Amino acid sequence: MSIIGTQPAWRLGSRTAMPPGEAILGIRALPYRAEGQPGMLPPVAGLVMKAIGIIGARTAWDAASGQMRFTDLPPGPRRILVTDPDRRYLPAAVMVEVPDRYPQRPTAGGPPIPVPPHPVRRTILLRPAPARAIPTGMTAVIGTLRDAAGRGIALARLAASTDAGLMRVVTWTDEAGGFALVLPDSEAGSPPATCILAVHTPVARLAAALAADPLGALPADLDQQDPDGPHSQFDRRAVATLAPDGSVAGAPPGAPPGALPLRPGRTVRWDLLAP
C-alpha cells in the first residue's frame, strides 16, 4: 500500500537501451548538516538506489563525481528510492524528471529538441539513522518518539533550534520511532546547552500507509515540504520528555516550551511522548 501515485511496471526495450557507460541521471548523496547548509563531503558510497516501477534499470557508482548513475531509464517523472544496507542513514525518496535521450524529429513547427549533453544531476541530503554511532565530541540527542499507547511514531519530523536561534537541524524518526539529532556548535562558537524542539507527526492516512509499507509510502522530497502548509501531510504536536523511569520529566527552570536539555559535546538520550 502506498499513498504515492504509482505507475505500471515498465520493462526496458531495445529503443531505450543505452550504450554502455552512458548515463541519463546522476544522484549524489551527502550527509545532512543543518537547514540552509550544504551537505558534508565526501559523498556517501555503498547506497542502493532504485527507480520504482522500472525493471532492469542499471546503476553504477562513479567515484570521481560521487554519483550513482542511472543508464536505462525511460523519459518522464521517476521516483528514486535511496536506502542504506548498512543502516547508517535513513531512507529517502526523490522525484526526478528524466529527459528523452532521443531527439524529436524536425517538424514544420521548428527544430528538433536536442538531447541533453550531460546527465540530469540531483543532490540529496541523508539524515543519520538512530543506530549509527555519533562522532566523538558532537552534541547529540537520541531517543524514541512514542504515542500515548507506547507505540513508536514513524516518520515524525523533529526540528531543533539551537541557543542562538539561527541554526536549525531537522531529522525524521525511523520505522520504530527512533531518532538521532546531531547538533552543530552554536553561532557563538560554543556547544548549545538547550535546543527548542518542534515536532510534526504524520496525519492518520499517511501513518496507516507507512505502517503497511514504510518504503512505498515514504513521501518524496521531504525537505521541500512545508509541514505547516495547507496541504501538509503532517500535524504539529506537543511532546513531553520522559525520564529514565518513563515518567514525564519536568522542563528546566525558566526554559521556554519545547526546550530540550543537552550535554555539550556528548550524546544524551531523551525519549519523547506525543499524547
Side-chain angles (χ1 to χ4, degrees), residues 24 42 140 197 215 264:
I24 193 67
L197 196 63
L215 294 180

Side-chain angles (χ1 to χ4, degrees), residues 23 130 196 229:
I196 308 301

Side-chain angles (χ1 to χ4, degrees), residues 228-267:
D228 292 312
H231 305 294
S232 173
Q233 301 180 77
F234 298 87
D235 290 326
R236 186 153 186 160
R237 298 281 294 274
V239 298
T241 54
L242 298 178
D245 63 0
S247 62
V248 175
L260 197 64
L262 306 174
R263 298 179 66 183
R266 301 185 66 179
T267 299

Side-chain angles (χ1 to χ4, degrees), residues 16-179:
T16 15
M18 303 175 188
E22 186 176 356
I24 193 67
L25 170 66
I27 296 181
R28 185 173 70 155
L30 298 176
Y32 173 84
R33 184 190 304 267
E35 294 299 286
Q37 295 193 9
M40 296 180 288
L41 294 172
V44 182
L47 301 173
V48 173
M49 299 191 188
K50 294 182 179 180
I52 303 303
I54 310 299
I55 299 174
R58 292 177 294 167
T59 59
W61 169 253
D62 182 59
S65 64
Q67 296 178 14
M68 184 71 77
R69 295 195 166 193
F70 289 79
T71 52
D72 301 322
L73 281 183
R78 303 296 163 203
R79 172 177 160 87
I80 309 298
L81 181 64
V82 182
T83 56
D84 181 9
D86 295 329
R87 302 181 68 85
R88 300 163 296 172
Y89 297 95
L90 295 174
V94 61
M95 289 296 298
V96 296
E97 185 69 30
V98 178
D100 195 340
R101 169 174 302 285
Y102 297 93
Q104 296 180 0
R105 294 181 179 180
T107 65
I113 299 175
V115 175
H118 302 290
V120 175
R121 298 183 179 94
R122 285 289 301 270
T123 297
I124 59 173
L125 302 178
L126 300 181
R127 268 65 173 188
R132 186 183 182 186
I134 305 298
T136 302
M138 299 294 292
T139 302
V141 181
I142 61 173
T144 301
L145 173 64
R146 294 186 173 89
D147 62 16
R151 298 172 299 223
I153 301 177
L155 201 67
R157 182 182 188 271
L158 279 64
S161 300
T162 56
D163 286 1
L166 300 178
M167 181 77 72
R168 285 196 313 124
V169 175
V170 172
T171 195
W172 305 85
T173 59
D174 66 9
E175 297 176 34
F179 65 88

